[in-house]
Amino acid sequence: GDRHMKPAGVILKIANTVLSSATVLTLLLAGAYALYALWDNRQIYASVDKVQADLLKLKPELPEAAADPGASFEELLSLNADICAWVTVDNTTIDYPVVQGESNLSYINKDVYGNFALAGSIFLDSRNDPGCKDRYSLLYGHDMVDYKMFGALELFKDQAFFEKNHSGRLILPDRAYDLEIFALLLVTASDNYIFEPQHWQTDDIDELLAYVKENAVFLHQETIEALQNSNSPQLLALSTCSAEYTNARTILLAAMVPH
């Protein structure tokens, strides 16, 4: 019986019992953490859906649909004076207000109401003109599952989807633009052509267009040629993280055509 075991055997049995208990405890803790992580993720996505649903009730009208083009922005601005636009990409979940903070970290983990939110907001680069009057304006959004926030940019990596879907709108307090999507790029986070918008605040964006033409994964040739022949082309870029490699970014580019 156990009472006749040698001391070494008793110690070994105790050690095995302790190890077994520790293993069970570790598995229980891992299971509990997994359940918490699943619950936490659902809370994050539910929060995104709720915020979007609430804000969609305040989505501004296109200028010709409103007696006063700026009136439909009043409620949005009463929520947050940093709201500067509303962006929509047709046939995707991208239908959000756009904010601009003092820096590009201001809204990375804050919702439109200014509350902490891991999903963050869709925001305009802090170096851009808040009225989107620059030749090149840059928007950021998190890459989230279920195509939330700018997770929907993943859809454009499918060539058939890219070829079929190329429209959207950017609504501002005093005017609106039709968006003509013309290029998808995969770049690094340090790409100066894409992530230094102040370089393109002059009338000359020929170098940027040439770069896009050379490096695009997919491209609508007719649209970029029209931009190259235009006297005053304006571009809007939508940027999000991508999983292809470290610091990869997915970029969707659209021509801004006055509505």
Side-chain angles (χ1 to χ4, degrees):
D2 287 351
R3 57 192 178 135
H4 298 300
M5 288 178 65
K6 293 180 180 179
V10 173
I11 292 170
L12 184 60
K13 184 176 181 181
I14 292 171
N16 286 336
T17 302
V18 169
L19 286 171
S20 296
S21 300
T23 300
V24 170
L25 181 60
T26 300
L27 290 173
L28 287 172
L29 289 172
Y33 179 78
L35 288 172
Y36 169 77
L38 184 62
W39 174 85
D40 190 49
N41 281 339
R42 285 180 176 172
Q43 292 298 108
I44 292 169
Y45 300 134
S47 175
V48 172
D49 289 341
K50 185 180 186 311
V51 168
Q52 186 181 23
D54 290 344
L55 290 168
L56 279 170
K57 298 171 186 174
L58 304 177
K59 181 178 178 178
E61 298 176 356
L62 289 166
E64 74 273 10
D68 178 358
S72 59
F73 251 88
E74 289 178 4
E75 284 188 275
L76 282 176
L77 291 172
S78 70
L79 294 177
N80 186 345
D82 287 344
I83 296 173
C84 58
W86 189 289
V87 65
T88 303
V89 176
D90 294 335
N91 299 321
T92 75
T93 52
I94 297 174
D95 205 9
Y96 296 103
V98 177
V99 290
Q100 185 183 43
E102 291 184 6
S103 80
N104 287 338
L105 297 178
S106 298
Y107 283 96
I108 200 164
N109 284 323
K110 281 200 304 189
D111 65 21
V112 172
Y113 301 108
N115 300 320
F116 174 77
L118 287 174
S121 298
I122 305 303
F123 61 94
L124 175 67
D125 194 290
S126 60
R127 296 163 293 184
N128 271 126
D129 173 71
C132 294
K133 294 177 181 178
D134 293 330
R135 293 296 178 206
Y136 173 76
S137 298
L138 175 60
L139 303 184
Y140 301 90
H142 285 307
D143 178 21
M144 299 185 68
V145 300
D146 296 334
Y147 306 122
K148 300 183 192 302
M149 303 308 284
F150 273 1
L153 298 187
E154 286 289 318
L155 293 167
F156 290 89
K157 293 179 180 178
D158 175 73
Q159 187 169 8
F161 188 91
F162 176 86
E163 295 294 340
K164 187 177 180 181
N165 297 279
H166 42 78
S167 62
R169 276 156 307 288
L170 184 72
I171 305 175
L172 297 152
D174 60 344
R175 64 197 187 286
Y177 293 92
D178 293 323
L179 299 179
E180 296 182 2
I181 295 163
F182 69 91
L184 178 83
L185 290 90
L186 193 65
V187 302
T188 67
S190 59
D191 189 308
N192 290 332
Y193 282 91
I194 299 300
F195 296 110
E196 298 291 341
Q198 70 274 20
H199 288 174
W200 313 113
Q201 288 172 352
T202 67
D203 289 341
D204 185 8
I205 58 169
D206 290 346
E207 189 179 348
L208 175 59
L209 290 171
Y211 174 80
V212 170
K213 198 170 183 179
E214 185 177 343
N215 292 280
V217 177
F218 301 129
L219 187 71
H220 288 299
Q221 195 72 30
E222 301 85 358
T223 306
I224 198 166
E225 286 177 1
L227 284 166
Q228 288 176 315
N229 293 325
S230 172
N231 291 326
S232 56
Q234 280 187 274
L235 307 185
L236 182 71
L238 285 66
S239 169
T240 196
C241 295
S242 201
E244 280 80 1
Y245 51 83
T246 304
N247 290 327
R249 298 291 185 269
T250 299
I251 308 297
L252 193 68
L253 278 168
M256 295 168 58
V257 181
H259 181 79

